[in-house]
């Protein structure tokens, strides 16, 4: 049967159409597969950067971070990935870094080259300029004699400490709007080696460290954003007028160990520093406390100068002052105005030791808690010298010239909060009476004590430590029951005296007993019956013989950790030496026989 021609023609058209559609779908799938391959080929360089290689002996644990610290490299690594962002090369032997070596590291943010052997000749300026993402540059402890002329504007922190720098250029640190901290200490910088506008265009600098150089003047035009400024260990003689006038954010200023005198500054040198809290002017050539100190100052270092007087109005405006350090000067009490400390209600720590004070100065700050007057020439303590120091907790009067007759028996009557008193190194013959009941530590060593007045230690229930060493005390020097009221005593030092026996009736709380360098000749079984909690007993350099120490004296001391009995102050006789040698030989023979 013949098929109609129309139907046959329709079937042919349908088959051709189906073939064309099938071929097109296959072509699209092939194109998609090719596209995937092409995209996969592009991924490593454009979509997800990866470290393709880590230099030998280095560590590349984090993405973009290469750690080659301390692996004894002598050359800059040449096979670094272009994707390196943090490069640690400190503690090696690298002598030079070229432009070519840095030019590929366009993503670098941190470069640490400290503690190598880099010289200025081996460090090409143009290399750093190309690193337009570099934020942190560490070049400390190398051999640079000049700073790079150009550093990238992206810089946040630069450390050039401990080099041999003599020159810094205008664009080394200038035009760096993000720059926060600069470290230039321990170099050889002079005034001539610094540009006039060293930080021009770098208005965000907060920390500048220029200590241990050879500067004679404080640089001008410092950024107003600085809050910490170090110029210690220089040759500073003068602070130019208004050198600090724009530093309204400055909180810490270090000027110690220079050559500054009162003539090298004026009344406005510090007056504009409204945020200043810490000022160190120690170890300079000041003859008087500077004027114009800012009101907000909290800690003031003036020690190790030649200050011989304190006027009435130089300290009183500094209302927030808490710590005042005036030790190692040439102060005399008569040259300290009686109003010098008036109004300083926050001043709690005052150091005036190693001066020429002949008496306790008048008008001391009434809120003081710590008062250090040791190593002066004070020869007397009058009834009212300390009467207004109600809040005092620590008083050190050691190594003066105080004698018992010139120590008033009521001198300490108002010091009801006093916890620590040091009277060591004076010329006291008798332990003062009327000591505060609040005492926790009492030191009266290196005197000439030969008597403890009746009741001098009475009712001192808070006393934890007594040091009476290096005096002339005997057992008869102590009144009966002298130790009984000391219910908190843990440390008793009676070394360097003239005791013939271990003191009796010591408090039960005692933990450490120092009796070395006395005249003790025996330790009976009952010596430590009253001190079951003792941890350390020191009997060295006495007159003890082996037979004079009864072992049972220590058998009940369950907490004993240290027992120091020898050597004695008397040398053994020749016969004793021979006996000891014989005993040792016999023991060796017995051991060999076994």
């Amino acid at each position: 049967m013949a098929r109609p021609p129309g139907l046959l023609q329709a079937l042919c058209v349908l088959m051709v159409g189906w073939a064309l559609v099938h071929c097109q779908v296959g072509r699209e799938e092939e194109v998609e597969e090719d596209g995937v391959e092409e995209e996969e080929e592009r991924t490593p360089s454009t979509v997800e950067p990866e470290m393709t290689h880590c230099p030998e002996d280095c560590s590349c644990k984090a993405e973009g971070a290469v750690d080659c610290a301390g692996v004894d490299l002598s050359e800059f690594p040449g096979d670094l990935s272009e994707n390196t962002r943090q490069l640690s090369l400190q503690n090696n032997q690298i002598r030079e870094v070229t432009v070519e070596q840095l030019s590929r590291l366009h993503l670098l943010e941190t470069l640490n080259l400290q503690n190598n052997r880099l010289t200025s000749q081996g460090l090409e300026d143009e290399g750093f300029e190309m690193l337009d993402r570099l934020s942190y540059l560490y070049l400390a402890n190398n051999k640079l004699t000049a700073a790079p002329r150009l550093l990238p504007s992206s810089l946040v922190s630069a450390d050039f400490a401990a080099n041999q720098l003599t020159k810094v250029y205008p664009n080394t640190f200038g035009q760096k709007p993000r720059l926060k901290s600069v470290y230039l200490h321990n170099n050889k910088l002079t005034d001539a080696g610094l540009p006039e506008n060293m930080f021009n265009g770098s208005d965000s600098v907060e920390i500048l460290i220029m200590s241990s150089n050879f500067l004679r003047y404080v640089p001008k035009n410092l950024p107003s954003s600085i809050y910490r400024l170090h110029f210690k260990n220089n040759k500073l003689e003068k602070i130019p007028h208004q050198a600090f006038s724009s530093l309204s954010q400055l909180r810490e200023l270090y000027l110690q160990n220079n050559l500054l005198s009162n003539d090298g500054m004026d009344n406005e040198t510090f007056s504009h520093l409204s945020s200043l809290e810490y000022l160190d002017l120690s170890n300079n050539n000041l003859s008087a406390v500077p004027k114009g100190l800012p009101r907000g100052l909290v800690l003031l270092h003036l020690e190790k100068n030649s200050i011989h007087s304190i006027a009435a109005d130089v300290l009183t405006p500094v209302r927030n002052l808490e710590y005042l350090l005036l030790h190692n000067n040439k102060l005399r009490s008569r040259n300290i105005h009686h109003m010098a400390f008036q109004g300083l209600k926050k001043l709690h720590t005052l150091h005036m030791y190693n001066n020429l004070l002949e008496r306790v100065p008048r008008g001391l700050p009434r809120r003081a808690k710590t008062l250090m007057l040791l190593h002066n020439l004070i020869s007397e303590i009058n009834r009212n010298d300390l009467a207004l120091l109600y809040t005092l907790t620590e008083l050190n009067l050691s190594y003066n010239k105080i004698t018992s007759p010139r120590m008033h028996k009521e001198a300490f009557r108002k010091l009801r909060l006093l916890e620590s008193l040091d009277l060591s190194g004076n010329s006291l013959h008798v332990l003062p009476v009327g000591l505060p009941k609040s005492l926790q530590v009492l030191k009266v060593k290196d005197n000439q004590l030969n008597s403890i007045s009746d009741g001098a230690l009475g009712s001192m229930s808070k006393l934890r430590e007594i040091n009476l060493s290096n005096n002339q005390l005997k057992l008869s020097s102590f009144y009966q029951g002298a130790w009984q009221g000391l219910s908190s005593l843990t440390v008793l030092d009676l070394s360097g005296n003239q005791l013939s026996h271990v003191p009796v009736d010591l408090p039960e709380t005692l933990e450490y007993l120092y009796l070395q360098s006395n005249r003790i000749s025996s330790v009976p079984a009952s010596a430590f019956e009253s001190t079951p909690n003792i941890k350390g007993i020191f009997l060295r350099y006495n007159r003890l013989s082996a037979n004079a120490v009864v072992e049972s004296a220590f058998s009940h001391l369950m907490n004993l950790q240290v027992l120091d009995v020898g050597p004695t102050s008397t040398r053994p006789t020749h016969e004793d030496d021979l006996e000891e040698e014989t005993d040792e030989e016999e023991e060796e023979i017995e051991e060999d026989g076994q």
Side-chain angles (χ1 to χ4, degrees):
M1 179 176 179
R3 295 179 180 177
L7 181 60
L8 183 61
Q9 185 176 2
L11 287 172
C12 289
V13 171
L14 182 61
M15 290 179 66
V16 170
W18 178 84
L20 289 174
V21 171
H22 179 74
C23 290
Q24 183 65 28
V25 171
R27 175 60 183 162
E28 289 177 357
E29 290 176 355
E30 183 179 348
V31 169
E32 283 183 7
E33 290 175 358
D34 291 341
V36 170
E37 290 176 356
E38 289 176 5
E39 185 175 351
E40 288 177 356
E41 290 174 0
R42 290 196 303 268
T43 297
S45 59
T46 60
V47 179
E48 295 180 0
E50 294 180 359
M51 298 299 296
T52 58
H53 177 70
C54 188
E56 186 178 358
D57 297 326
C58 300
S59 172
C60 304
K61 295 180 181 179
E63 183 180 346
V66 180
D67 186 357
C68 302
V71 295
D72 205 29
L73 293 178
S74 58
E75 295 181 352
F76 193 93
D79 48 358
L80 293 167
S81 168
E82 294 181 359
N83 301 315
T84 302
R85 295 194 303 273
Q86 298 173 358
L87 179 56
S88 300
L89 294 170
Q90 66 268 31
N91 305 325
N92 282 292
Q93 308 294 324
I94 299 172
R95 296 178 181 272
E96 66 174 5
V97 179
T98 66
V99 173
E100 182 181 358
Q101 290 167 334
L102 292 176
S103 60
R104 297 174 58 253
L105 306 178
H106 56 277
L107 298 179
L108 195 62
E109 298 172 359
T110 300
L111 175 58
N112 192 336
L113 280 162
Q114 65 184 13
N115 198 24
N116 276 279
R117 297 189 176 185
L118 290 168
T119 63
S120 294
Q121 292 73 24
L123 202 61
E124 299 184 26
D125 291 340
E126 294 81 359
F128 293 115
E129 189 180 10
M130 288 185 283
L131 303 177
D132 55 7
R133 295 192 182 186
L134 188 66
S135 297
Y136 302 94
L137 176 60
Y138 304 104
L139 285 164
N141 201 17
N142 279 282
K143 298 181 179 181
L144 305 177
T145 54
R149 291 177 181 270
L150 296 171
L151 292 175
S153 60
S154 57
L155 207 60
V156 174
S157 181
D159 188 354
F160 287 85
N163 277 279
Q164 302 169 22
L165 294 183
T166 60
K167 184 70 175 175
V168 173
Y169 297 93
N171 286 328
T172 302
F173 303 114
Q175 307 304 320
K176 310 286 185 292
R178 299 179 58 207
L179 189 61
K180 296 286 187 182
S181 56
V182 176
Y183 302 89
L184 289 167
H185 51 287
N186 293 90
N187 278 288
K188 297 181 178 180
L189 291 168
T190 63
D191 303 293
L194 301 181
E196 186 172 351
N197 289 303
M198 184 172 162
F199 294 99
N200 184 34
S202 301
D203 300 326
S204 299
V205 177
E206 296 177 344
I207 299 174
L208 174 59
I209 314 294
M210 299 192 72
S211 302
S212 300
N213 281 285
F214 297 98
L215 302 177
R216 295 178 60 197
Y217 302 97
V218 173
K220 297 180 180 179
N221 303 315
L222 295 172
S224 60
S225 53
I226 289 180
Y227 73 79
R228 183 182 301 154
L229 185 57
H230 286 247
F231 283 110
K232 68 179 180 180
N233 298 327
N234 274 280
K235 305 293 183 182
L236 295 182
E237 299 175 356
K238 184 178 180 60
I239 301 176
H241 182 61
Q242 295 188 340
F244 300 138
S245 60
S246 65
L247 305 184
S248 59
Q249 305 301 315
L250 190 63
R251 298 200 299 268
E252 302 173 22
L253 178 55
Y254 300 80
L255 295 168
Q256 67 266 40
N257 301 336
N258 280 287
L259 303 173
L260 290 168
S261 65
N262 290 85
D263 294 334
M265 57 187 76
D266 55 45
N267 294 349
E268 296 183 357
T269 298
F270 307 108
S271 61
H272 298 288
L273 302 176
S274 56
S275 299
L276 193 66
E277 297 179 354
Y278 183 104
L279 174 60
D280 196 337
L281 285 164
S282 63
N283 204 12
N284 277 282
N285 293 329
L286 301 178
S287 58
V289 177
K291 295 183 178 180
L293 295 171
R295 178 186 179 93
L297 205 58
V298 174
L299 198 160
L300 177 58
H301 283 272
L302 291 171
E303 70 269 20
K304 298 181 181 179
N305 279 280
S306 299
I307 297 174
H308 56 75
S309 64
I310 305 177
D313 58 347
V314 291
L315 289 172
T316 50
V318 192
R319 298 293 184 175
N320 288 331
L321 193 62
E322 297 183 18
Y323 301 85
L324 176 58
L325 309 182
L326 284 162
H327 51 279
N328 293 88
N329 277 287
K330 298 180 179 180
L331 286 168
R332 294 183 183 273
S333 300
R334 60 176 176 266
N335 294 329
I336 301 175
H337 197 279
H338 68 278
M339 304 285 283
F341 304 105
Q342 188 175 22
L344 302 181
K345 297 181 179 180
K346 295 184 178 181
L347 183 56
H348 57 73
T349 301
L350 177 58
H351 289 188
M352 301 182 76
Y353 57 87
N354 280 337
N355 276 282
L356 302 173
L357 303 176
E358 66 278 7
R359 54 162 292 171
V360 176
R362 293 180 297 165
L364 291 173
R366 298 191 178 189
R367 306 293 176 88
K369 294 184 177 180
T370 299
L371 179 58
M372 296 293 183
L373 297 174
L374 58 155
H375 289 286
N376 277 285
L377 304 174
I378 299 172
S379 60
E380 62 181 356
I381 305 294
N382 295 314
R383 185 176 188 271
N384 293 322
D385 284 348
L386 306 169
L388 298 178
L389 303 178
Y390 306 110
T391 60
L392 206 60
T393 59
E394 182 179 6
L395 175 59
N396 195 324
L397 288 162
S398 62
Y399 300 96
N400 278 282
K401 298 182 178 298
I402 305 170
T403 61
S404 292
R406 306 191 72 175
M407 170 80 76
H408 198 281
K409 63 180 182 179
E410 295 183 353
F412 304 101
R413 69 190 187 283
K414 297 292 186 179
L415 306 184
R416 295 169 184 168
L417 300 179
L418 194 66
E419 297 177 355
S420 177
L421 174 61
D422 197 339
L423 293 168
S424 304
N426 282 283
S427 299
L428 300 174
H429 289 83
V430 180
L431 186 68
V433 295
L435 296 176
K437 308 303 181 188
S438 55
L439 278 182
Q440 298 179 20
V441 177
L442 175 61
K443 297 180 181 180
V444 200
K445 66 179 182 178
D446 299 331
N447 276 273
Q448 300 168 24
L449 292 181
N450 55 34
S451 177
I452 306 297
S453 300
D454 191 17
L457 297 173
S459 304
M460 288 194 173
S461 58
K462 297 182 179 180
L463 198 59
R464 295 183 288 103
E465 177 183 343
I466 303 178
N467 191 332
L468 299 173
S469 62
N470 298 329
N471 281 287
Q472 301 171 14
L473 294 169
K474 303 177 181 179
L475 286 180
S476 59
S477 302
F478 299 90
Y479 61 92
Q480 188 174 2
W483 314 110
Q484 291 179 358
L486 306 179
S487 56
S488 298
L489 192 67
T490 59
V491 179
L492 175 58
D493 192 341
L494 292 169
S495 61
N497 280 283
Q498 300 175 15
L499 304 179
S500 58
H501 295 86
V502 176
V504 297
D505 296 329
L506 294 174
E508 183 179 345
T509 54
L510 196 64
E511 296 181 356
Y512 295 94
L513 177 60
Y514 297 88
L515 294 171
Q516 61 268 38
S517 300
N518 274 280
R519 300 176 180 177
I520 299 173
S521 58
S522 64
V523 179
S526 60
F528 303 105
E529 283 184 352
S530 64
T531 56
N533 298 309
I534 204 159
K535 297 178 180 179
I537 301 173
F538 302 86
L539 288 162
R540 181 180 291 256
Y541 303 120
N542 275 282
R543 299 180 177 180
L544 295 169
S545 62
N547 297 329
V549 180
V550 179
E551 292 186 11
S552 61
F554 312 104
S555 59
H556 68 289
L557 303 177
M558 306 307 294
N559 296 320
L560 188 62
Q561 300 171 0
V562 179
L563 175 58
D564 186 0
V565 179
T568 61
S569 59
T570 55
R571 294 180 58 82
T573 64
H574 182 62
E575 293 181 359
D576 291 337
D577 288 337
L578 290 175
E579 283 185 18
E580 290 177 5
E581 290 177 3
T582 303
D583 291 341
E584 289 175 1
E585 290 177 356
E586 290 176 355
E587 289 175 4
E588 290 177 1
I589 293 172
E590 289 177 2
E591 290 174 0
D592 291 339
Q594 293 174 356

